[in-house]
Amino acid sequence: MRASIPYLLAALAAGITAKDDGSYAVLRFNNVAGQFSTQGQMDPIVSPGVKSSHTHGIMGGSNFNLTVTGDQLLGSECTNAKILNDKSNYWVPTLWFQSPANGTFKKVPLFYMNAYYKFDATNDEIKAFPPGLKIVSGDAMKRTPPATGAYQLDPTKGEIQPVQWTCPTQDSNIARYPADSDGTKAGLQDPGNAGSGAGFPVVNCDGYASPLRQDINLPSCYNPEAGLDDYENNMAWPTPTDGGKADCPQGWTHVTHLFIEVYYDTLQFQNDWDVDGQNQPFVLSNGDRTGYSSHADFISGWDENTLQTIIDGCNAGFNGMDTCPDIPGGLNTDICQMSSAFPDPTDEWVTKLPGDNPLSGWGV
């Protein structure tokens, strides 16, 4: 479809704003209620070709497999992203409820998931992800508390803290974390946001249509010399400069800042545990009882022209990038369910986590 002159002018203006002031557009997904596109012990970035140590919930293009190389995802027959030309894959660890009565586990269904494409203020030109770019954010091995309950994305200020948990509640004044917590027995409150913090909260997250939420920021500076596959070295966080902007190192490519939010349907468990302000019953699929090991993985399957069009001209905010006009390729309504190479157990309750991951962290 040929873009109109007014739209091109608006796109140019939005591109300038995205660099000077920052903007964003939310990508949403089509999915069967309570389900990701597929789930299981699969991670083609960290554990290519083999069963991964813990289970993940995966969204996106149907060419997801135990191994993903090059522009493989571009050939996907379907995707559940609402933008048809996004065949990327996005995945996070699954969440489980551990029964206080007998210690068994039940998987917590997905409520919904969004990917925020943030075009942060910068002196750089923000470019589309190259196909096949692999990004990992968060540390699946982390069980110790971070320095703060808040995000810390500035590489000049020490350890990066890219993840949080958000807990909307009907009573906005209720404490989500113990006031005296040092992070060793319960999570840490974000000092600037009463609803969020590091680690699992210790109350029922019973906000209207807003249960417990996992939040993960992904870095936005890509080093072409490291290459698409070297996820441990190919990405970095932009460094703050004057005027509230943040720039990538010389020779690196400034890509979109991805922010992934995942709501889990924890409301169905609210009567199954006693809220005491100190303990909580949820555990990540890797056995982590703290929530500090929250993490997310991404492999780009974007048509580069489509994503660049969105970067330059889709300042849609929370309305969603699917509301922007003249998106190359158009929109998508397919739920694109995929089979799993190593699926989760079909039993409603299980005596151990898939992969036989032992519990670790608080209370162990």
Side-chain angles (χ1 to χ4, degrees), residues 39-87:
Q39 299 178 88
Q41 288 179 253
M42 303 171 290
D43 188 334
I45 297 182
V46 178
S47 304
V50 299
K51 180 185 287 189
S52 67
S53 63
H54 57 277
T55 72
H56 296 97
I58 301 105
M59 294 292 211
S62 60
N63 271 7
F64 179 85
N65 211 323
L66 295 180
T67 302
V68 175
T69 58
D71 62 359
Q72 172 179 328
L73 296 182
L74 294 180
S76 296
E77 292 185 0
C78 67
T79 178
N80 73 331
K82 285 186 176 290
I83 304 300
L84 184 61
N85 281 348
D86 178 19
K87 307 294 176 57

Side-chain angles (χ1 to χ4, degrees), residues 6 59 221 233 257 265 273:
M59 294 292 211
C221 296
N233 300 292
H257 169 189
D265 190 7
W273 63 291

Side-chain angles (χ1 to χ4, degrees), residues 277-335:
Q278 298 291 326
N279 302 287
Q280 63 82 44
F282 297 104
V283 57
L284 288 173
S285 57
N286 58 3
D288 177 22
R289 298 190 74 246
T290 70
Y292 295 147
S293 71
S294 169
H295 56 282
D297 299 45
F298 169 78
I299 303 179
S300 180
W302 274 99
D303 168 73
E304 288 182 271
N305 176 61
T306 302
L307 181 54
Q308 195 64 53
T309 299
I310 291 167
I311 292 170
D312 293 340
C314 182
N315 184 12
F318 190 73
N319 289 333
M321 62 176 66
D322 54 296
T323 65
C324 286
D326 302 327
I327 299 294
L331 306 183
N332 174 54
T333 58
D334 199 333
I335 60 173

